[in-house]
């Protein structure tokens, strides 16, 4: 599985740790920065990963900012991206089982470095349940198409 990862300045320590962990676990990791503590703007990094998810160049994405919120707002602008901020086991598990999210947005300010590896591995390994949830995820895609093709009727 090919996983893209990016963070702003508030997530660099978690990103570095996750790159190491995921590589050790056999995932193909694409690191899109940032790599220093210099302040950057999260939209510039969210779009690097989200664009590649939309283009089918990555299977999953992980984005880290202070809260995960800004990264998710940007990522969800891209067609085919389903991104959400998650910070505990329940959110992470349900985001895969029910929503089939393909971009996990993590709050660098709120999440402990020690628990992050297990949380992300759980997210990468949890399957979408399909069934009734497929109908709903398909409706998300339909809404996306509606919005893209008929802006004036919204
Ligand atoms: O969480 C974030 C966006 O959702 C950002 O990481 C946060 O807004 C950056 O703030 P600052 O410039 O004060 O470091």
């Amino acid at each position: 599985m090919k996983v893209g990862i990016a963070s702003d300045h508030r997530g660099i320590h978690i990103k570095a740790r996750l790159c190491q962990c995921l590589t050790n676990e056999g995932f193909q990791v694409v690191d899109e920065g940032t790599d220093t503590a210099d302040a950057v703007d999260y939209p510039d990094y969210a779009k690097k990963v989200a664009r590649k998810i939309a283009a089918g160049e990555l299977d999953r994405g992980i984005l880290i900012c202070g809260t995960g919120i800004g990264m998710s707002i940007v990522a969800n602008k891209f067609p085919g991206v389903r991104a959400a901020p998650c910070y505990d086991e329940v959110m992470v598990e349900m985001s895969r089982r029910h929503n089939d999210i393909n971009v996990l947005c993590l709050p660098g300010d709120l999440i402990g470095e020690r628990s992050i590896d297990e949380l992300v591995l759980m997210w990468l390994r949890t399957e979408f349940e399909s069934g009734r949830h497929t109908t709903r995820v398909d409706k998300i895609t339909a809404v996306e198409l509606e919005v893209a093709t008929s802006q004036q009727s919204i």
Side-chain angles (χ1 to χ4, degrees):
M1 189 190 288
K2 202 168 172 182
V3 182
I5 184 165
S7 76
D8 73 358
H9 50 286
R10 288 187 183 255
I12 50 172
H13 300 298
I14 286 178
K15 180 170 73 63
R17 185 186 172 110
L18 283 176
C19 285
Q20 189 66 62
C21 165
L22 298 184
T23 302
N24 291 346
E25 293 288 330
F27 293 94
Q28 192 181 340
V29 177
V30 178
D31 183 350
E32 298 282 3
T34 187
D35 296 314
T36 74
D38 296 341
V40 294
D41 300 328
Y42 58 83
D44 297 335
Y45 290 85
K47 69 183 186 184
K48 287 173 189 252
V49 169
R51 179 178 289 130
K52 288 186 178 177
I53 296 278
E57 294 168 23
L58 293 170
D59 302 303
R60 300 276 188 90
I62 298 168
L63 297 171
I64 312 150
C65 60
T67 60
I69 294 171
M71 288 289 198
S72 71
I73 292 170
V74 178
N76 280 312
K77 304 288 182 199
F78 286 77
V81 170
R82 289 180 299 282
C86 298
Y87 50 84
D88 65 15
E89 287 84 355
V90 175
M91 298 286 280
V92 161
E93 189 184 342
M94 297 309 281
S95 76
R96 286 292 312 138
R97 285 177 48 193
H98 284 203
N99 309 111
D100 198 20
I101 71 163
N102 48 16
V103 176
L104 176 65
C105 301
L106 295 168
D109 286 354
L110 310 175
I111 210 153
E113 274 192 47
R114 259 186 302 162
S115 57
I116 196 71
D117 299 355
E118 283 169 25
L119 209 57
V120 170
L121 289 172
M122 178 203 268
W123 180 71
L124 288 167
R125 291 171 175 154
T126 300
E127 296 292 330
F128 180 47
E129 262 182 28
S130 69
R132 67 187 187 281
H133 305 297
T134 301
T135 310
R136 294 158 188 169
V137 171
D138 285 350
K139 286 190 178 188
I140 295 174
T141 307
V143 169
E144 198 173 84
L145 281 172
E146 256 175 65
V147 171
T149 56
S150 58
Q151 292 285 351
Q152 70 276 15
S153 64
I154 296 169

